[in-house]
Amino acid sequence: MRLILHAGLHRAGSSSIQGVLEGLSAPLAGDRVLAVTQTRANDPAHRAFKLLRGHKVAERGLAAVRDALNRHFQTLAGDFDTIVFSDENMPGFMPGKRQAAFAHAGDLAALIGALRRDHDVHVVVVVREHVGYLHSVHNFRLARSECGEFAEFAAGLDLASLAMAPMLETIAAATGPDGLSVHAFDR
């Protein structure tokens, strides 16, 4: 099975990408491509895709998650050759006071490495320059009344965790030289 994983980042066009995938799900299915977004993963038929989040590997263990996903992929193999899954929470949840950015990138990388034994895995990541990224996350959190002024928001972050290069290097080590595509978010 070919797996294309759009692993975010948050605030870098993920919702738009997911909207396009949802809109194209029927034509893609005709070409034996299953498009699943984090919203569609709430459907019982696609719930196994939630296991592709790094924190699920940390909670359940690598072998259990890999085996559950492989069983699910086997059930889909008669109808699909390729799966596209989009969920910006794969390497970790949106940074904030309670969680560091990319906290589960290592767990995700371990899962990707394990899945590569049986599948052709490609990971796509869309990144933003840091200041725009932080301001967008702040505005999101501010709109939800989860923080106040930017200085307060930034003071509550683990700023060292925001370095994107180590997260990307960790995933690249798992995907191999041709398995990771990094794109810049550009407004």
Side-chain angles (χ1 to χ4, degrees), residues 24-82:
L24 293 175
S25 63
L28 287 170
D31 289 331
R32 299 184 53 81
V33 176
L34 174 63
V36 179
T37 63
Q38 66 182 24
T39 302
R40 289 188 73 201
N42 291 324
D43 181 309
H46 299 301
R47 196 161 286 143
F49 286 98
K50 288 186 172 195
L51 295 173
L52 282 162
R53 292 179 173 175
H55 78 278
K56 291 296 187 182
V57 175
E59 289 171 5
R60 297 182 183 196
L62 178 62
V65 170
R66 179 203 60 222
D67 293 347
L69 284 167
N70 280 333
R71 283 190 302 275
H72 187 63
F73 296 156
Q74 279 183 323
T75 67
L76 300 171
D79 297 318
F80 301 102
D81 301 317
T82 301

Side-chain angles (χ1 to χ4, degrees), residues 6 41 55 60 66 102 105 142 149 162:
H6 168 244
H55 78 278
R60 297 182 183 196
R66 179 203 60 222
F102 324 125
L142 189 61
E149 296 297 319
L162 292 168

Side-chain angles (χ1 to χ4, degrees), residues 118-132:
D118 299 310
H119 307 283
D120 179 18
V121 182
H122 298 268
V123 178
V124 177
V125 178
V126 180
V127 297
R128 287 181 82 159
E129 61 85 20
H130 283 80
V131 173

